[in-house]
Structure formats: structure tokens, C-alpha cells
Amino acid sequence: ASAPGLAKVGGIHVEVDHVTGEAIAVWEAPAASIRGLLFVAHGCKHGCQDFWEASPACPGCVGLPVELRIVRAALDRGLAVVAV
């Protein structure tokens, strides 16, 4: 079974813990067809919201520079990106 939201092509999707209200996963698919999947997990007291810039879809996102480049490079290569 695929993760919810990955069937949609393009756009950022956020999975929120309904108890705490915190983001527990963020994902984005490339605008073209999906060639594969890149799973990223941040350590050092960081999380899934570090990989995307703040937007209406992810207002809590932070968008750290290196993490943004990782996501952009993966999307440019046709990979969907899932962060936890």
C-alpha cells in the first residue's frame, strides 16, 4: 500500500498527529511521473518540517538550506520525497 497523498502528483502534503497537532510526516511528489521514492529522516532534534519552506500547505515548515537542496534535487530527478 502506498502512503496517503503520494498518489497525488505535485504539491506538499502534511500528516498531522491529531492528538498533539504536530506534523509527523511531510511529503511531496514531482510534477511529472514518479520514478522512485526518497525517504529522509532528520536527527539532532530536527524533524520533517525542516525539508520544506513555510507555505499554506505547511505553515510550520522551516526550510533549512541544505535540506531544501536535498528535496529539490530529488524532485528534479523524479523522486517523491517523504520526511519524518
PDB file of all heavy atoms in Angstrom, residues 28-45:
ATOM      1  N   GLU A  28       6.195  15.227  -0.738  1.00  0.00           N
ATOM      2  CA  GLU A  28       5.939  15.945  -1.984  1.00  0.00           C
ATOM      3  C   GLU A  28       6.312  15.032  -3.134  1.00  0.00           C
ATOM      4  O   GLU A  28       7.310  14.318  -3.089  1.00  0.00           O
ATOM      5  CB  GLU A  28       6.778  17.220  -2.049  1.00  0.00           C
ATOM      6  CG  GLU A  28       6.500  18.057  -3.277  1.00  0.00           C
ATOM      7  CD  GLU A  28       7.234  19.382  -3.288  1.00  0.00           C
ATOM      8  OE1 GLU A  28       7.998  19.673  -2.348  1.00  0.00           O
ATOM      9  OE2 GLU A  28       7.036  20.136  -4.252  1.00  0.00           O
ATOM     10  N   ALA A  29       5.505  15.046  -4.165  1.00  0.00           N
ATOM     11  CA  ALA A  29       5.766  14.270  -5.370  1.00  0.00           C
ATOM     12  C   ALA A  29       6.188  15.231  -6.486  1.00  0.00           C
ATOM     13  O   ALA A  29       5.785  16.388  -6.493  1.00  0.00           O
ATOM     14  CB  ALA A  29       4.513  13.497  -5.782  1.00  0.00           C
ATOM     15  N   PRO A  30       7.001  14.744  -7.414  1.00  0.00           N
ATOM     16  CA  PRO A  30       7.407  15.602  -8.524  1.00  0.00           C
ATOM     17  C   PRO A  30       6.220  15.933  -9.418  1.00  0.00           C
ATOM     18  O   PRO A  30       5.209  15.227  -9.409  1.00  0.00           O
ATOM     19  CB  PRO A  30       8.442  14.761  -9.265  1.00  0.00           C
ATOM     20  CG  PRO A  30       8.116  13.349  -8.905  1.00  0.00           C
ATOM     21  CD  PRO A  30       7.534  13.395  -7.523  1.00  0.00           C
ATOM     22  N   ALA A  31       6.338  17.012 -10.191  1.00  0.00           N
ATOM     23  CA  ALA A  31       5.248  17.420 -11.081  1.00  0.00           C
ATOM     24  C   ALA A  31       5.035  16.392 -12.193  1.00  0.00           C
ATOM     25  O   ALA A  31       3.918  16.203 -12.655  1.00  0.00           O
ATOM     26  CB  ALA A  31       5.547  18.795 -11.678  1.00  0.00           C
ATOM     27  N   ALA A  32       6.098  15.718 -12.617  1.00  0.00           N
ATOM     28  CA  ALA A  32       5.994  14.676 -13.642  1.00  0.00           C
ATOM     29  C   ALA A  32       5.744  13.335 -12.963  1.00  0.00           C
ATOM     30  O   ALA A  32       5.507  13.273 -11.757  1.00  0.00           O
ATOM     31  CB  ALA A  32       7.274  14.647 -14.463  1.00  0.00           C
ATOM     32  N   SER A  33       5.844  12.262 -13.708  1.00  0.00           N
ATOM     33  CA  SER A  33       5.608  10.942 -13.125  1.00  0.00           C
ATOM     34  C   SER A  33       6.682  10.604 -12.086  1.00  0.00           C
ATOM     35  O   SER A  33       7.819  11.049 -12.183  1.00  0.00           O
ATOM     36  CB  SER A  33       5.576   9.870 -14.214  1.00  0.00           C
ATOM     37  OG  SER A  33       6.820   9.807 -14.867  1.00  0.00           O
ATOM     38  N   ILE A  34       6.314   9.793 -11.126  1.00  0.00           N
ATOM     39  CA  ILE A  34       7.197   9.412 -10.031  1.00  0.00           C
ATOM     40  C   ILE A  34       8.083   8.249 -10.472  1.00  0.00           C
ATOM     41  O   ILE A  34       7.587   7.207 -10.887  1.00  0.00           O
ATOM     42  CB  ILE A  34       6.387   9.024  -8.779  1.00  0.00           C
ATOM     43  CG1 ILE A  34       5.557  10.219  -8.310  1.00  0.00           C
ATOM     44  CG2 ILE A  34       7.302   8.536  -7.668  1.00  0.00           C
ATOM     45  CD1 ILE A  34       4.559   9.877  -7.221  1.00  0.00           C
ATOM     46  N   ARG A  35       9.408   8.433 -10.377  1.00  0.00           N
ATOM     47  CA  ARG A  35      10.374   7.394 -10.749  1.00  0.00           C
ATOM     48  C   ARG A  35      10.818   6.573  -9.551  1.00  0.00           C
ATOM     49  O   ARG A  35      11.357   5.479  -9.700  1.00  0.00           O
ATOM     50  CB  ARG A  35      11.594   8.018 -11.405  1.00  0.00           C
ATOM     51  CG  ARG A  35      11.277   8.702 -12.713  1.00  0.00           C
ATOM     52  CD  ARG A  35      12.499   9.318 -13.354  1.00  0.00           C
ATOM     53  NE  ARG A  35      13.529   8.301 -13.516  1.00  0.00           N
ATOM     54  CZ  ARG A  35      14.833   8.553 -13.429  1.00  0.00           C
ATOM     55  NH1 ARG A  35      15.256   9.761 -13.183  1.00  0.00           N
ATOM     56  NH2 ARG A  35      15.710   7.592 -13.589  1.00  0.00           N
ATOM     57  N   GLY A  36      10.637   7.108  -8.355  1.00  0.00           N
ATOM     58  CA  GLY A  36      11.086   6.421  -7.154  1.00  0.00           C
ATOM     59  C   GLY A  36      10.740   7.242  -5.927  1.00  0.00           C
ATOM     60  O   GLY A  36      10.016   8.235  -6.010  1.00  0.00           O
ATOM     61  N   LEU A  37      11.272   6.833  -4.792  1.00  0.00           N
ATOM     62  CA  LEU A  37      10.957   7.473  -3.526  1.00  0.00           C
ATOM     63  C   LEU A  37      12.239   7.684  -2.724  1.00  0.00           C
ATOM     64  O   LEU A  37      13.073   6.780  -2.629  1.00  0.00           O
ATOM     65  CB  LEU A  37      10.012   6.581  -2.714  1.00  0.00           C
ATOM     66  CG  LEU A  37       9.669   7.041  -1.304  1.00  0.00           C
ATOM     67  CD1 LEU A  37       8.759   8.255  -1.352  1.00  0.00           C
ATOM     68  CD2 LEU A  37       9.013   5.914  -0.535  1.00  0.00           C
ATOM     69  N   LEU A  38      12.394   8.881  -2.162  1.00  0.00           N
ATOM     70  CA  LEU A  38      13.495   9.173  -1.249  1.00  0.00           C
ATOM     71  C   LEU A  38      12.893   9.383   0.129  1.00  0.00           C
ATOM     72  O   LEU A  38      12.055  10.264   0.319  1.00  0.00           O
ATOM     73  CB  LEU A  38      14.258  10.428  -1.680  1.00  0.00           C
ATOM     74  CG  LEU A  38      15.349  10.893  -0.709  1.00  0.00           C
ATOM     75  CD1 LEU A  38      16.470   9.852  -0.617  1.00  0.00           C
ATOM     76  CD2 LEU A  38      15.889  12.246  -1.126  1.00  0.00           C
ATOM     77  N   PHE A  39      13.320   8.569   1.083  1.00  0.00           N
ATOM     78  CA  PHE A  39      12.881   8.697   2.477  1.00  0.00           C
ATOM     79  C   PHE A  39      13.977   9.426   3.228  1.00  0.00           C
ATOM     80  O   PHE A  39      15.143   9.026   3.174  1.00  0.00           O
ATOM     81  CB  PHE A  39      12.641   7.312   3.084  1.00  0.00           C
ATOM     82  CG  PHE A  39      12.412   7.353   4.564  1.00  0.00           C
ATOM     83  CD1 PHE A  39      11.173   7.696   5.074  1.00  0.00           C
ATOM     84  CD2 PHE A  39      13.440   7.066   5.450  1.00  0.00           C
ATOM     85  CE1 PHE A  39      10.959   7.743   6.455  1.00  0.00           C
ATOM     86  CE2 PHE A  39      13.252   7.106   6.823  1.00  0.00           C
ATOM     87  CZ  PHE A  39      11.997   7.449   7.315  1.00  0.00           C
ATOM     88  N   VAL A  40      13.623  10.517   3.919  1.00  0.00           N
ATOM     89  CA  VAL A  40      14.601  11.262   4.703  1.00  0.00           C
ATOM     90  C   VAL A  40      14.089  11.384   6.133  1.00  0.00           C
ATOM     91  O   VAL A  40      12.914  11.611   6.372  1.00  0.00           O
ATOM     92  CB  VAL A  40      14.889  12.662   4.101  1.00  0.00           C
ATOM     93  CG1 VAL A  40      15.642  12.540   2.799  1.00  0.00           C
ATOM     94  CG2 VAL A  40      13.628  13.466   3.897  1.00  0.00           C
ATOM     95  N   ALA A  41      14.996  11.203   7.073  1.00  0.00           N
ATOM     96  CA  ALA A  41      14.659  11.335   8.489  1.00  0.00           C
ATOM     97  C   ALA A  41      15.749  12.182   9.128  1.00  0.00           C
ATOM     98  O   ALA A  41      16.928  11.838   9.053  1.00  0.00           O
ATOM     99  CB  ALA A  41      14.573   9.966   9.158  1.00  0.00           C
ATOM    100  N   HIS A  42      15.364  13.278   9.721  1.00  0.00           N
ATOM    101  CA  HIS A  42      16.325  14.205  10.305  1.00  0.00           C
ATOM    102  C   HIS A  42      16.593  13.821  11.752  1.00  0.00           C
ATOM    103  O   HIS A  42      15.708  13.392  12.462  1.00  0.00           O
ATOM    104  CB  HIS A  42      15.776  15.630  10.246  1.00  0.00           C
ATOM    105  CG  HIS A  42      16.836  16.664  10.100  1.00  0.00           C
ATOM    106  ND1 HIS A  42      17.881  16.790  10.971  1.00  0.00           N
ATOM    107  CD2 HIS A  42      17.017  17.619   9.156  1.00  0.00           C
ATOM    108  CE1 HIS A  42      18.654  17.784  10.583  1.00  0.00           C
ATOM    109  NE2 HIS A  42      18.156  18.298   9.477  1.00  0.00           N
ATOM    110  N   GLY A  43      17.805  14.003  12.189  1.00  0.00           N
ATOM    111  CA  GLY A  43      18.173  13.753  13.580  1.00  0.00           C
ATOM    112  C   GLY A  43      18.501  15.063  14.263  1.00  0.00           C
ATOM    113  O   GLY A  43      18.106  16.137  13.807  1.00  0.00           O
ATOM    114  N   CYS A  44      19.229  14.999  15.312  1.00  0.00           N
ATOM    115  CA  CYS A  44      19.730  16.194  16.018  1.00  0.00           C
ATOM    116  C   CYS A  44      18.614  17.151  16.418  1.00  0.00           C
ATOM    117  O   CYS A  44      18.721  18.374  16.248  1.00  0.00           O
ATOM    118  CB  CYS A  44      20.767  16.914  15.172  1.00  0.00           C
ATOM    119  SG  CYS A  44      22.155  15.886  14.706  1.00  0.00           S
ATOM    120  N   LYS A  45      17.528  16.620  16.931  1.00  0.00           N
ATOM    121  CA  LYS A  45      16.384  17.418  17.394  1.00  0.00           C
ATOM    122  C   LYS A  45      15.739  18.256  16.286  1.00  0.00           C
ATOM    123  O   LYS A  45      15.169  19.303  16.542  1.00  0.00           O
ATOM    124  CB  LYS A  45      16.777  18.300  18.577  1.00  0.00           C
ATOM    125  CG  LYS A  45      17.207  17.480  19.779  1.00  0.00           C
ATOM    126  CD  LYS A  45      17.376  18.332  20.992  1.00  0.00           C
ATOM    127  CE  LYS A  45      17.799  17.436  22.152  1.00  0.00           C
ATOM    128  NZ  LYS A  45      17.889  18.141  23.387  1.00  0.00           N
TER     129      LYS A  45
END
